[in-house]
């Protein structure tokens, strides 16, 4: 069992920023890849960003240039820095990590972008 806990969601105005964190119950060296997904009512969960132990990253086209995924191995934590937020970014954001033979998910944190 792997536990992933997300923090940092909240209400922010358009153009603002938030930093999400995902803390794992074990070394993130053993969790590869890790990523962030988001989901809005009536829509499928979609990939936002992924990071591998190699350092490689991937981003959804909708967030590329605005969001940055990073990691702090000493804290067993992956971050998602979200800048230039717009209402379309409103969603529940979920942390994800792969440990053979399955994928683990956090409980999610709500991000609301509204004026």
């Amino acid at each position: 069992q792997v536990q992933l806990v997300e923090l940092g969601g909240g209400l922010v105005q358009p153009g603002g920023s938030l930093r999400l964190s995902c803390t794992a119950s074990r070394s993130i060296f053993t969790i590869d890849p890790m990523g962030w997904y988001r989901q809005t009512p009536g829509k499928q969960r979609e990939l936002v960003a992924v990071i591998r132990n190699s350092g490689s990253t991937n981003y959804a086209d909708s967030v590329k240039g605005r969001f940055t995924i990073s990691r702090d191995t000493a804290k067993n934590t992956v971050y998602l820095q979200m800048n230039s937020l717009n209402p379309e970014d409103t969603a529940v954001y979920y942390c994800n990590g792969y440990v053979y033979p399955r994928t683990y998910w956090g409980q999610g944190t709500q991000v609301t972008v509204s004026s």
Side-chain angles (χ1 to χ4, degrees):
Q1 293 286 331
V2 177
Q3 297 177 47
L4 302 172
V5 178
E6 304 102 329
L7 294 173
L11 176 64
V12 64
Q13 293 185 344
S17 298
L18 285 173
R19 186 175 177 87
L20 307 182
S21 65
C22 171
T23 300
S25 61
R26 58 189 285 172
S27 172
I28 61 173
F29 283 126
T30 69
I31 310 173
D32 186 22
M34 296 190 72
W36 289 93
Y37 291 69
R38 66 187 182 187
Q39 187 169 29
T40 57
K43 295 183 63 178
Q44 295 290 107
R45 191 171 296 184
E46 66 173 346
L47 174 68
V48 176
V50 172
I51 188 167
R52 298 193 66 95
N53 284 339
S54 66
S56 65
T57 58
N58 292 92
Y59 297 92
D61 288 342
S62 60
V63 307
K64 192 175 182 64
R66 299 187 297 122
F67 291 10
T68 302
I69 188 169
S70 62
R71 61 187 179 184
D72 184 337
T73 57
K75 295 182 178 180
N76 292 345
T77 299
V78 171
Y79 300 95
L80 185 68
Q81 178 67 47
M82 305 185 294
N83 299 325
S84 301
L85 287 161
N86 58 64
E88 192 176 47
D89 297 315
T90 296
V92 178
Y93 284 72
Y94 295 91
C95 183
N96 165 276
Y98 179 76
V99 180
Y100 179 85
R102 59 156 289 184
T103 296
Y104 293 85
W105 294 91
Q107 292 294 316
T109 185
Q110 176 71 47
V111 172
T112 302
V113 185
S114 177
S115 58

